[in-house]
């Protein structure tokens, strides 16, 4: 839904000097008055090749309009399975692609749509038929097969007593003596000790047509490690390291411990149904050629939402800020080539960005000077975070490509210039930079927080509410256009534009390739103030992802 109205009216008037630190920066930078700017044909038609001109034109109002357009797209989504979302495989996602690609094409970008195969899951079914009839809440494990199985439930070496220690399904001997020879046997397996991929594979090899993995039920001291309730795990690999794929064909669903106990009853029969369809989504790639075609400055955000809601902060905020930056840079003639990406299938496991990097030849990968990732940049209970390339707080679980710290440095010095405190966030593999850093491409990015809880110390520094998540609507239906902090979104939209313009003219600090000064009034970035240090230094292990055991 490309509405020309928005384009023709909104973008002629560059913003007036706003109050607050961002405005202060602009006041210092802005030699040009609004009247003069308007006279030069307005933002979308002029060459915004200087900090003052670009930051004048990348406005929080402009970014908000894109967020509201994405909200409207979700509202209008008629997908029968995931209405009201922009999830992978839905019409809501396809309309988001049309919106972004349409504006970029109109602005003169070379736009390509990268086809990406995504798994579209229909709501799974776990229904007990006998001895009691009940529908249980469930979910599909990653790596699950797709089928409907109605048959006998066969418990496998489960332990419902005492400490409920469980090696259920971990050894092939666990299946000895069990009758799984029928056409519709459902193996009932308890969580514990080994990976879900190994448990499910052993069951499949023993003759089961479906697998239910119920939570272990053992008391856990770690509040984040719920061993009672429903959980959805990752069954893609036999080993914890993820080096041996499980190659499952049978459906694998989850259940809470209590429901597992019910299913384990004598004479139990049930229905397990997993319906997964392969669908094609597209990542949007937009390029603006620079003088140097062999030095590509890349930035990305993901365009899909989760199935639970419209995803207007996750990641409508990054998508919108990046889109506004691209539109306002459409007429620049940069030194380096600019490439913007809106990824498909991030919420399904970084599908679009991983596919993209895997599809690059060595030569093409070598042309990419750096990659900047923007996933959640306007969280309502925000703190400002920068991916910790110099590992000053978080030891990264993977090698961080040389040059990444120079990207972090630009972000930190800009926050320092505008008086915004910031902290480090780990390269923990939870967003679309992962494929780039694994390919050795220098990377960085910004993040304002998701399900982590704000501490008193952080509330004292950034305001907001201690004891509440940085984004209370993370992966929920309430992640709507209201789910935003405007100040955070404004500061980060400016910084996204500032960084893109900086590297558009020179990536020398990152990869040593000589560039030029950004035209117009220079900005003297101070030395970075340093991260606030509100996180205990740890190895940046991947938090919040699906458990594999
Ligand atoms: Zn996200």
């Amino acid at each position: 839904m490309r509405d020309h109205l928005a384009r023709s009216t909104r973008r002629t008037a560059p913003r007036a000097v706003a109050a607050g630190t961002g405005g202060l920066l602009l006041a210092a930078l802005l030699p040009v008055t609004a009247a003069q700017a308007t006279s030069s044909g307005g933002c979308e038609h002029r060459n915004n090749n200087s900090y003052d001109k670009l930051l004048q034109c990348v406005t929080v109002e402009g970014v908000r309009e894109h967020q509201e357009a994405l909200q409207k797209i979700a509202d209008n989504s008629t997908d029968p399975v995931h209405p009201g979302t922009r999830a992978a495989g839905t019409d809501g996602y396809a309309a988001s692609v049309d919106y972004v690609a349409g504006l970029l094409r109109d602005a003169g970008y070379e736009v390509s749509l990268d086809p990406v195969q995504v798994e579209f899951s229909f709501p799974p079914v776990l229904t007990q038929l006998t001895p009691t009839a009940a529908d249980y809440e469930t979910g599909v494990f990653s790596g699950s097969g797709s089928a409907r199985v109605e048959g006998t439930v066969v418990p496998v070496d489960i332990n419902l007593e005492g400490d409920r220690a469980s090696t259920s399904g971990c050894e092939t001997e666990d299946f000895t003596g069990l009758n799984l020879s029928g056409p519709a046997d459902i193996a009932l397996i308890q969580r514990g000790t080994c990976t879900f991929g190994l448990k499910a594979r052993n069951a499949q090899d023993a003759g089961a047509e479906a697998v239910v993995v119920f939570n272990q039920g053992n008391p856990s001291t770690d509040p984040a490690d719920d061993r009672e309730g429903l959980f959805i795990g990752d069954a893609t690999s036999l080993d914890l390291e993820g080096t041996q794929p499980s190659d499952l064909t049978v459906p694998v669903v989850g259940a809470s411990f209590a429901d597992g106990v019910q299913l384990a009853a004598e004479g139990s029969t049930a229905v397990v149904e997993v319906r997964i369809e392969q669908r094609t989504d597209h990542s949007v790639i937009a390029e603006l050629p620079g003088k140097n075609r062999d030095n590509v400055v890349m930035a990305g955000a993901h365009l899909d939402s989760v199935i639970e809601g419209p995803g207007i902060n996750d990641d409508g905020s990054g998508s919108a800020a990046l889109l506004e930056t691209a539109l306002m840079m459409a007429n620049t003639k940069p030194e380096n080539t600019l490439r913007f990406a809106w990824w498909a299938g991030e919420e399904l496991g970084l599908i679009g960005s991983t596919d993209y990097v895997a599809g690059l030849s060595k030569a093409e990968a070598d042309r990419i000077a750096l990659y900047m990732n923007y996933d959640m940049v306007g969280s309502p209970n925000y703190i400002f975070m920068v991916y910790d390339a110099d590992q000053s707080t978080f030891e990264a679980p993977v090698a961080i490509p040389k040059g990444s710290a120079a990207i972090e440095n630009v972000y930190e010095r800009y926050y320092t210039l505008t008086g915004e405190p910031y902290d480090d966030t780990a390269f923990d593999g939870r967003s679309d930079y992962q494929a780039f850093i694994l390919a050795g491409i220098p990377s960085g990015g910004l993040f304002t927080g998701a399900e982590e809880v704000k501490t008193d110390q952080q509330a004292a520094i950034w305001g907001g509410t201690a004891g509440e998540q940085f984004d209370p609507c993370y992966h929920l239906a309430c992640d709507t256009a209201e789910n935003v902090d405007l100040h955070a979104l404004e500061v980060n939209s400016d910084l996204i534009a500032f960084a893109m313009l900086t590297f558009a003219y020179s990536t020398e600090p990152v990869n040593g390739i000589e560039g030029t000064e950004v035209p117009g009034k220079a900005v003297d970035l101070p030395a970075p103030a340093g991260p606030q240090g509100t996180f205990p230094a740890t190895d940046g292990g991947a938090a919040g992802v699906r458990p594999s055991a």
Side-chain angles (χ1 to χ4, degrees):
M1 150 187 89
R2 280 175 286 164
D3 58 354
H4 295 292
L5 181 61
R7 255 203 316 287
S8 59
T9 54
R10 179 175 59 73
R11 290 208 188 90
T12 52
R15 75 170 143 192
V17 176
T21 49
L24 283 175
L25 165 71
L26 283 180
L29 280 175
L30 271 184
V32 183
T33 64
Q36 283 166 318
T38 309
S39 66
S40 60
C43 285
E44 61 176 10
H45 301 299
R46 80 178 181 190
N47 178 353
N48 293 314
N49 63 350
S50 67
Y51 290 122
D52 57 347
K53 285 193 282 181
L54 183 60
L55 291 187
Q56 207 176 52
C57 289
V58 174
T59 66
V60 72
E61 294 79 13
V63 175
R64 286 295 287 162
E65 279 212 18
H66 298 313
Q67 280 192 305
E68 276 139 21
L70 295 174
Q71 177 69 58
K72 215 179 286 168
I73 284 170
D75 296 345
N76 296 337
S77 155
T78 56
D79 187 274
V81 179
H82 305 305
T85 80
R86 300 175 311 103
T90 68
D91 62 345
Y93 179 77
S96 303
V97 167
D98 289 347
Y99 176 76
V100 170
L103 287 173
L104 292 162
R105 283 200 183 97
D106 289 351
Y109 277 91
E110 294 167 15
V111 176
S112 58
L113 300 183
D114 251 22
V116 178
Q117 287 309 306
V118 295
E119 288 194 341
F120 183 86
S121 286
F122 290 80
V125 173
L126 177 57
T127 300
Q128 186 163 19
L129 303 172
T130 61
T132 47
D135 273 320
Y136 298 125
E137 208 196 340
T138 188
V140 182
F141 277 47
S142 317
S144 168
S146 180
R148 182 183 188 284
V149 177
E150 177 171 340
T152 313
V153 175
V154 181
V156 180
D157 183 31
I158 62 175
N159 172 14
L160 305 180
E161 308 307 325
D163 64 1
R164 295 160 185 167
S166 156
T167 62
S168 164
C170 294
E171 296 89 21
T172 51
E173 297 71 41
D174 292 349
F175 299 86
T176 311
L178 298 180
N179 179 5
L180 293 165
S181 60
D185 300 309
I186 300 169
L188 179 65
I189 289 182
Q190 186 176 12
R191 180 183 190 177
T193 309
C194 65
T195 66
F196 306 120
L198 180 64
K199 292 172 187 276
R201 183 57 191 268
N202 284 342
Q204 175 177 299
D205 292 349
E209 279 73 29
V211 175
V212 176
V213 183
F214 68 97
N215 213 341
Q216 188 170 359
N218 64 321
S220 168
T221 50
D222 174 358
D225 183 16
D226 171 13
R227 293 274 162 158
E228 296 279 347
L230 169 64
F231 78 106
I232 310 303
D234 177 351
T236 52
S237 67
L238 302 177
D239 59 334
L240 271 173
E241 296 66 36
T243 61
Q244 300 164 56
S246 56
D247 295 331
L248 300 172
T249 54
V250 300
V252 183
V253 298
S256 68
F257 176 75
D259 295 346
V261 173
Q262 296 300 320
L263 286 161
E266 197 63 39
S268 178
T269 61
V271 176
V272 170
E273 181 175 7
V274 171
R275 238 182 94 197
I276 299 171
E277 245 175 42
Q278 295 296 327
R279 293 190 179 179
T280 302
D281 275 350
H282 296 85
S283 296
V284 179
I285 310 291
E287 182 146 317
L288 183 72
K291 292 194 191 81
N292 185 344
R293 294 295 191 93
D294 292 328
N295 199 38
V296 177
V297 173
M298 199 164 178
H302 71 86
L303 195 54
D304 63 317
S305 74
V306 289
I307 58 173
E308 287 82 4
I312 303 303
N313 185 38
D314 184 12
D315 183 23
S317 59
S319 292
L322 196 63
L323 179 58
E324 188 65 1
T325 296
L327 294 172
M328 292 305 135
M329 291 184 76
N331 300 300
T332 57
K333 308 271 179 289
E335 186 66 25
N336 301 317
T337 292
L338 308 184
R339 191 180 297 160
F340 299 87
W342 290 264
W343 303 117
E346 189 272 351
E347 299 290 3
L348 296 182
L350 315 180
I351 311 281
S353 55
T354 304
D355 273 14
Y356 175 80
V357 173
L360 294 170
S361 68
K362 171 123 185 25
E364 285 163 340
D366 290 346
R367 287 178 61 228
I368 300 178
L370 60 104
Y371 173 74
M372 295 173 281
N373 195 63
Y374 302 117
D375 189 352
M376 305 180 70
V377 296
S379 301
N381 195 28
Y382 78 95
I383 71 171
F384 289 121
M385 290 179 277
V386 180
Y387 290 115
D388 191 16
D390 62 8
Q391 302 181 62
S392 52
T393 301
F394 298 102
E395 191 196 322
V398 294
I400 302 297
K402 193 167 152 302
S404 304
I407 305 168
E408 179 183 13
N409 187 264
V410 168
Y411 294 139
E412 295 186 343
R413 296 170 69 190
Y414 180 90
Y415 280 137
T416 305
L417 176 72
T418 55
E420 299 291 351
Y422 61 88
D423 214 331
D424 286 325
T425 188
F427 271 110
D428 57 10
R430 285 182 59 186
S431 193
D432 292 304
Y433 54 76
Q434 187 69 354
F436 289 87
I437 57 177
L438 292 176
I441 295 169
S443 299
L446 305 174
F447 179 43
T448 51
E451 80 281 8
E452 310 91 335
V453 173
K454 184 176 266 184
T455 64
D456 293 328
Q457 183 194 14
Q458 288 162 341
I461 296 167
W462 285 280
T465 312
E468 252 192 35
Q469 293 185 179
F470 296 132
D471 183 347
C473 289
Y474 175 62
H475 285 188
L476 298 174
C478 60
D479 184 6
T480 65
E482 311 319 303
N483 187 42
V484 66
D485 181 278
L486 287 176
H487 175 68
L489 187 65
E490 177 165 29
V491 170
N492 276 340
S493 300
D494 283 345
L495 178 47
I496 288 167
F498 186 92
M500 202 70 191
L501 189 63
T502 300
F503 294 122
Y505 284 87
S506 176
T507 62
E508 195 164 353
V510 175
N511 64 1
I513 293 179
E514 213 180 316
T516 62
E517 294 293 314
V518 173
K521 193 165 183 290
V523 173
D524 297 327
L525 290 175
Q532 292 288 319
T534 63
F535 295 106
T538 64
D539 69 350
V545 292
R546 281 191 175 184
S548 55

